[in-house]
Amino acid sequence: MTGDLLLLAVAAVWGSSYLAAKTLVAAAGVLVVLALRYLVSMAAMLPLMFRRRVQRRELAVGLLLGCTQASVLVLETYGVSLTSATNAGVLISLTILLTPVMQGGLPGRFLLAAAVATGGVVLLVAGPGLRTPSVGDLLMLIAAVVRAAHVTLSGRLARPSFDTVTLTTLQTVVGAVVFTAAAWPLAAGGLGAGEWLGVLYLALGCSVFAFLVQLWAIRRTSPARASLLLGTEPVWAVLIGISLGGEHLTVLAGVGIALVLAGTYWGQRVEREHRAGAVTPPRQPELTRVPPGRG
């Protein structure tokens, strides 16, 4: 239950990042924003590595997850800048369906629940209507595939002996190195106090907190269940947009929110029952007692 609530908190934080990210990208560009986000995240995580020893296998897994994580962020950021928020929200929500497909072994009811949640996202973001597919749409589709792979790999490769802080730190180091090299020299001189607060929020809230909680929770649940909970991100984005951005909730968006929540709750129940059945040993048939004097 704690893991589910924390994953919902991650979805809420990510849903709240759209306004800050939009402003920052307009001011400094995609690569500079990603570089600053990862550099601040790395600076916050490295002190936690004091006296921690990194296993060789742990290092390899952390570097791999760092590459997949950085790929998701760069694809999403560029994709949103080249398509509409409507198309981006619909396409990235396909992660809800792609993750259980990659994981395998789940009953058909789970896929149906994931489809209900995905349909809710479609209604949620379909207010202005879908546009003609573009390069940005292709990038968002690839981002959905890579995000599903990242969640699945996190669940399969992170051994119980691996340290969550170490794996998260390694991922931030990978992103900091990659994006700093890509954006060098960093043209951050034009950022004001408000923009730097946005960078800190993206780095400490949407990266350090979110990545730590995501990895910690995925290792204690299943990638499919985690993907369902994280799939509520568009719901939080709409709610925060209404409360902070002055947006209005349409009837269609309200139905979409209800479907996302219903699909997520149903999928949780199906996945929980499936996992409980998988670990419960089959009941042994009772031996029939033969009365004395027979047989």
Side-chain angles (χ1 to χ4, degrees):
M1 184 63 179
T2 301
D4 291 349
L5 292 176
L6 288 174
L7 284 173
L8 285 174
V10 170
V13 168
W14 282 345
S16 68
S17 67
Y18 291 115
L19 291 176
K22 182 177 180 179
T23 302
L24 289 172
V25 168
V30 172
L31 293 178
V32 171
V33 170
L34 289 174
L36 293 175
R37 175 176 177 173
Y38 268 104
L39 285 171
V40 174
S41 301
M42 183 179 67
M45 293 299 300
L46 283 178
L48 302 179
M49 292 297 296
F50 184 64
R51 292 185 178 179
R52 277 185 164 89
R53 299 184 61 181
V54 183
Q55 307 173 37
R56 182 176 300 178
R57 171 80 174 172
E58 196 174 37
L59 175 63
V61 171
L63 294 178
L64 174 61
L65 295 180
C67 292
T68 56
Q69 184 187 82
S71 299
V72 172
L73 285 180
V74 72
L75 286 167
E76 285 183 351
T77 308
Y78 272 116
V80 169
S81 68
L82 295 174
T83 187
S84 66
T86 298
N87 284 28
V90 171
L91 291 171
I92 201 63
S93 71
L94 293 176
T95 304
I96 302 174
L97 290 176
L98 292 171
T99 303
V101 170
M102 291 182 181
Q103 181 181 352
L106 288 171
R109 290 181 301 151
F110 184 90
L111 293 179
L112 185 57
V116 170
T118 304
V121 175
V122 173
L123 292 179
L124 181 62
V125 300
L130 296 174
R131 302 189 316 177
T132 303
S134 64
V135 175
D137 297 326
L138 177 60
L139 291 176
M140 292 305 302
L141 179 59
I142 298 173
V145 175
V146 178
R147 181 189 275 194
H150 175 75
V151 174
T152 303
L153 287 173
S154 298
R156 291 182 176 178
L157 299 181
R159 295 179 177 178
S161 61
F162 291 173
D163 181 59
T164 300
V165 172
T166 299
L167 288 177
T168 304
T169 302
L170 290 172
Q171 293 177 65
T172 61
V173 171
V174 170
V177 171
V178 169
F179 290 121
T180 300
W184 189 262
L186 296 178
L191 296 180
E195 285 81 9
W196 278 109
L197 287 176
V199 170
L200 291 176
Y201 179 72
L202 290 178
L204 302 181
C206 304
S207 292
V208 174
F209 167 75
F211 295 159
L212 276 173
V213 169
Q214 180 189 30
L215 184 57
W216 177 87
I218 287 175
R219 295 174 65 183
R220 287 158 177 80
T221 181
S222 71
R225 182 170 179 171
S227 186
L228 269 177
L229 292 166
L230 294 174
T232 62
E233 177 184 341
V235 176
W236 298 107
V238 169
L239 294 178
I240 291 171
I242 293 172
S243 59
L244 298 180
E247 299 178 2
H248 300 285
L249 180 64
T250 64
V251 175
L252 199 64
V255 174
I257 291 176
L259 287 178
V260 171
L261 295 178
T264 301
Y265 177 73
W266 183 22
Q268 285 181 5
R269 290 192 57 185
V270 171
E271 194 270 345
R272 187 186 305 116
E273 293 170 0
H274 177 74
R275 291 178 64 198
V279 300
T280 302
R283 184 177 180 181
Q284 299 295 330
E286 297 182 1
L287 295 177
T288 303
R289 298 183 61 185
V290 179
R294 296 187 180 180

